[in-house]
Amino acid sequence: MIRNDSKQDKSVKEMRILGITGGIGSGKSEVLRILDSKEGVYILESDKLAHKLMQPGHTCYKRIVETFGTGILSQNESINRPALGELVFSDPAKLDQLNRIVHPAVKSRIRSRIRSAKKRGVRLFVIEAALLIQDGYRSICDELWYIHVDRELRIERLLLGRGGTREKWESVLQSQPKDAYFRENTDVTLENGGDIRDLEKRIDFELRRMLADS
């Protein structure tokens, strides 16, 4: 939530960039909600930005249709995301093709928004991305935070929130990086399987630490 503060000394307070990542069902949205309630914070969700860039008339649309054909289009000519997902997630080579189209465009747009946020005096710029580590956001971010939840609770959340079958979500989780990979490649691990008040306190602590010298 961005609030203008005329008393803010922009020459002293340098904007920091925070990356948020974690597997599906880890509750990244809840962490973003908490961060969004803080003073001077700008939230960017890379998945939502990617969806925008895949719409007709935007950066990635033409290249995706040229690569995967018109069979992925809905009647209104927009990309049918479930159809595209079914096509690429069963074929690693096609998934790689899609990522090579979308991810550089998303990163370029993010860099542009970072420059704009600095001019507006944003205190903390937050980037949420499932592939934050794999896509090289370490070079952009001052810190990376990993949102962790035990596997069984993640499956329960996915079943409750998105439906489907246990077998489906077990397969999805199996295809994602393991817990050790996230921990080794991030700076902070936030446990998000307990009391929301504990999570809020931990986030407040980490923010004070991160922003203390900026």
Side-chain angles (χ1 to χ4, degrees):
M1 179 181 295
I2 302 301
R3 301 181 180 90
N4 293 323
D5 186 350
S6 59
K7 296 181 180 180
Q8 185 182 52
D9 185 352
K10 296 178 183 178
S11 66
V12 174
K13 296 182 178 181
E14 179 183 354
M15 187 178 83
R16 305 301 299 275
I17 303 174
L18 170 63
I20 300 290
T21 192
I24 188 171
S26 61
K28 295 187 293 295
S29 295
E30 184 64 24
V31 173
L32 295 181
R33 181 194 66 77
I34 296 170
L35 289 169
D36 193 42
S37 69
K38 308 300 181 183
E39 187 85 17
V41 175
Y42 180 92
I43 306 289
L44 189 149
E45 297 177 66
S46 64
D47 195 42
K48 290 183 179 180
L49 178 57
H51 295 171
K52 180 178 180 180
L53 297 180
M54 291 167 62
Q55 293 173 1
H58 286 271
T59 309
C60 302
Y61 177 84
K62 183 178 179 181
R63 289 187 60 196
I64 290 174
V65 175
E66 289 175 346
T67 302
F68 299 103
T70 57
I72 62 168
L73 297 180
S74 301
Q75 290 185 346
N76 64 359
E77 298 299 311
S78 66
I79 292 175
N80 183 323
R81 292 184 57 245
L84 178 61
E86 185 175 348
L87 180 67
V88 302
F89 288 123
S90 60
D91 187 329
K94 290 181 179 178
L95 179 59
D96 183 62
Q97 282 183 298
L98 179 63
N99 288 340
R100 288 177 181 273
I101 294 171
V102 176
H103 291 179
V106 169
K107 186 177 286 188
S108 175
R109 189 64 61 89
I110 287 175
R111 289 184 183 277
S112 176
R113 293 196 181 182
I114 287 173
R115 291 191 293 270
S116 176
K118 285 182 178 179
K119 294 177 182 178
R120 301 201 314 273
V122 170
R123 187 88 162 93
L124 180 68
F125 191 103
V126 180
I127 305 168
E128 182 276 320
L131 299 180
L132 197 78
I133 301 167
Q134 298 91 321
D135 283 347
Y137 281 89
R138 167 65 75 181
S139 64
I140 294 176
C141 298
D142 295 296
E143 286 191 12
L144 303 183
W145 291 5
Y146 167 45
I147 315 306
H148 174 261
V149 175
D150 289 339
R151 179 186 180 90
E152 185 58 31
L153 181 54
R154 290 169 64 190
I155 292 175
E156 290 177 9
R157 288 178 175 178
L158 290 166
L159 288 170
L160 181 63
R162 307 193 190 189
T165 65
R166 169 174 286 273
E167 290 73 21
K168 171 187 175 180
W169 295 120
E170 286 180 343
S171 176
V172 171
L173 265 60
Q174 184 63 32
S175 68
Q176 295 191 336
K178 300 299 183 282
D179 178 55
Y181 173 81
F182 282 110
R183 291 183 186 275
E184 290 169 4
N185 290 280
T186 54
D187 304 292
V188 172
T189 296
L190 295 180
E191 297 294 340
N192 192 20
D195 192 302
I196 186 65
R197 290 170 296 184
D198 292 335
L199 177 64
E200 290 172 343
K201 290 178 182 178
R202 177 67 190 283
I203 289 174
D204 284 342
F205 171 82
E206 296 296 347
L207 285 178
R208 287 194 299 270
R209 175 194 55 76
M210 183 179 180
L211 299 173
D213 298 324
S214 64

